[in-house]
Amino acid sequence: MPPISVERCYAEIEASTATLAGLMDGADLTRPVPTCPDWTLRQMATHVGRAHRWAAEITATRSAEMIPFRQVPDGRIPDDPAQHAPWLRAGAARLVAAVREADGDLVWTFGGLRPATFWARRMAHETAVHRADAELAAGREPALAADLAADGIDEWLGFLSAGSPFGGEDGLLGVLPEGGVLHVHATDEGLDGAGEWLVRRAGSEIVVEHGHGRGDVAVRGPAARLLFVLVRRVPPDDPQVQVLGDAGLLSRWLDSTPF
């Protein structure tokens, strides 16, 4: 499926950041984030704000090499609680402005040099998932538009099929047997055929294709819920999700893809 528009990505970065900033207001920053083991709310918020500044620095400087994450200027959340929300929003604004200005210029990404707009899509989904983490920690039910969630699934599966660190015989190749297929099916109306994926092992590669077909295991439900399952924010036995076939295969897949 074609990625969602870059303007939609900018809007999602800013909207999810605003929601996260609102949840930070008056919150206990030592509260654990259940969906991010070993992280407190403060650590997660710091990660989001630093990630925005990191991607902004890469794009603003047109860097052809990775910039160390912890060397990004202004990457530490302020001590003053009154500055937490402004700091988060400022990072999102800096990122959006940097990517807008760089546009199609080539910069470093996880898969080599790509147009700077890569970071709009990557950070839109990064921010949306961590915003959901904060909402779940606060006892709120996160929501995500179906087309945005479907694009998040597409990006995540594409990452897993493109030589990700989760590959190899001890990772995903060891989970899917030769010819084995995982079928992901988003049931939302309006996705126009872009809501189904077939993930298969072909030799030493994980291949992702769009389309309908039989799988060793199929997982189906609303796109937002499927995304949260695939990135391990909600369990596969979530009431909104249906698992058909080899549920153990899905569990092993999820165990091999921490996010």
Side-chain angles (χ1 to χ4, degrees):
M1 64 182 288
I4 57 175
S5 73
V6 67
E7 291 297 328
R8 184 74 181 285
C9 292
Y10 296 149
E12 183 57 37
I13 290 168
E14 292 176 334
S16 281
T17 302
T19 298
L20 177 58
L23 289 168
M24 294 287 291
D25 187 20
D28 176 7
L29 298 190
T30 66
R31 177 191 297 167
V33 180
T35 49
C36 292
D38 303 323
W39 270 6
T40 63
L41 187 57
R42 181 188 184 94
Q43 289 169 314
M44 193 200 68
T46 298
H47 171 81
V48 172
R50 184 178 288 158
H52 288 167
R53 287 162 170 80
W54 177 65
E57 189 74 5
I58 290 169
T59 54
T61 62
R62 311 299 195 275
S63 179
E65 298 179 351
M66 185 183 76
I67 294 175
F69 193 64
R70 292 187 176 274
Q71 292 183 15
V72 175
D74 191 32
R76 184 178 180 276
I77 195 168
D79 292 328
D80 181 0
Q83 295 304 312
H84 292 164
W87 181 81
L88 283 166
R89 290 193 293 267
R94 185 184 304 181
L95 169 62
V96 169
V99 177
R100 279 188 190 279
E101 200 277 331
D103 195 28
D105 291 350
L106 299 182
V107 301
W108 179 89
T109 73
F110 301 111
L113 294 178
R114 295 183 187 177
T117 49
F118 164 92
W119 288 107
R121 187 188 190 204
R122 174 79 288 280
M123 286 295 118
H125 296 311
E126 176 85 3
T127 310
V129 169
H130 285 313
R131 178 259 295 170
D133 287 325
E135 290 179 307
L136 289 166
R140 290 171 44 173
E141 190 70 14
L144 197 59
D147 61 337
L148 189 77
D151 189 71
I153 293 171
D154 200 65
E155 189 209 28
W156 178 235
L157 294 178
F159 172 70
L160 296 179
S161 67
S164 82
F166 308 129
E169 292 295 337
D170 294 332
L172 296 179
L173 292 179
V175 171
L176 276 178
E178 179 65 35
V181 176
L182 165 65
H183 179 204
V184 180
H185 182 183
T187 56
D188 311 80
E189 295 183 2
L191 291 179
D192 299 326
E196 290 193 71
W197 299 261
L198 297 170
V199 186
R200 69 179 75 246
R201 175 176 176 171
S204 60
E205 295 183 340
I206 300 294
V207 178
V208 180
E209 303 168 343
H210 273 283
H212 183 79
R214 292 186 61 85
D216 296 87
V217 60
V219 54
R220 66 192 308 272
R225 220 59 185 173
L226 291 183
L227 175 62
F228 294 148
V229 167
L230 290 173
V231 296
R232 310 199 321 175
R233 266 48 187 188
V234 300
D237 62 357
D238 182 86
Q240 298 183 50
V241 172
Q242 185 179 22
V243 178
L244 305 171
D246 186 355
L249 174 58
L250 177 62
S251 293
R252 293 191 296 275
W253 173 277
L254 295 175
D255 287 345
S256 300
T257 54
F259 176 76

